[in-house]
Amino acid sequence: MSANGDQEMTDAVVVAGAGIEDVEQEEFTEPQRIRVLPGSTDTAASFEFTKEDHTLGNALRYIIMKNPDVEFCGYSIPHPSEAKMNLRIQTWDDVNVYDVLEKGLNDLMDLCDVVVDKFTLARDQFNAMKA
């Protein structure tokens, strides 16, 4: 058996010998899902969102464009077989593009909360009328 084979066997034994307590204590972190694409400045930046599509892209673009400090916001799906969405934001004057993105994401979350609340209320009223 080669030296690599011996090392692989040792690694397998170490992993197989790990107790459930060891696995529970490890922290599992999700990989970064948003990254800033090269060539970005404080007033114009492109972001890549992984595992996202038109659902987030169109809603986020709409919310961000309602901000009067935003000159341009658009999104694209580079290729349909890749789960990636690119978002471009350009702001007026010296407005920070990262603050605009954060505000847009927070505003979209708030809007979703309102929709869920109104849906739940309407569903409960409908079910009460049926009973």
Side-chain angles (χ1 to χ4, degrees):
M1 195 175 270
S2 69
N4 278 346
D6 292 339
Q7 182 61 40
E8 289 172 4
M9 184 62 84
T10 303
D11 291 344
V13 170
V14 169
V15 170
I20 191 78
E21 301 83 23
D22 296 334
V23 173
E24 288 177 359
Q25 290 177 359
E26 289 182 23
E27 289 186 33
F28 294 101
T29 58
E30 283 193 37
Q32 190 80 19
R33 295 207 32 213
I34 303 174
R35 76 179 182 102
V36 180
L37 296 176
S40 297
T41 66
D42 286 342
T43 59
S46 294
F47 304 90
E48 179 183 76
F49 292 72
T50 57
K51 297 182 182 176
E52 294 299 342
D53 57 13
H54 294 284
T55 305
L56 177 66
N58 193 37
L60 190 56
R61 181 205 58 80
Y62 174 78
I63 292 291
I64 290 174
M65 278 304 297
K66 292 181 82 54
N67 185 335
D69 294 327
V70 174
E71 178 182 5
F72 171 81
C73 183
Y75 81 97
S76 67
I77 306 297
H79 194 276
S81 67
E82 294 182 49
K84 293 181 181 177
M85 185 263 302
N86 293 340
L87 181 76
R88 174 79 177 173
I89 302 172
Q90 292 172 212
T91 61
W92 296 109
D93 302 322
D94 290 326
V95 178
N96 190 304
V97 72
Y98 304 103
D99 294 339
V100 167
L101 176 60
E102 185 174 358
K103 181 181 180 338
L105 289 168
N106 288 330
D107 289 351
L108 184 56
M109 285 191 305
D110 293 344
L111 177 65
C112 290
D113 290 342
V114 169
V115 170
V116 167
D117 292 344
K118 290 198 178 270
F119 173 82
T120 303
L121 181 64
R123 182 199 61 203
D124 293 345
Q125 288 174 348
F126 177 78
N127 287 338
M129 289 174 43
K130 281 183 18 181

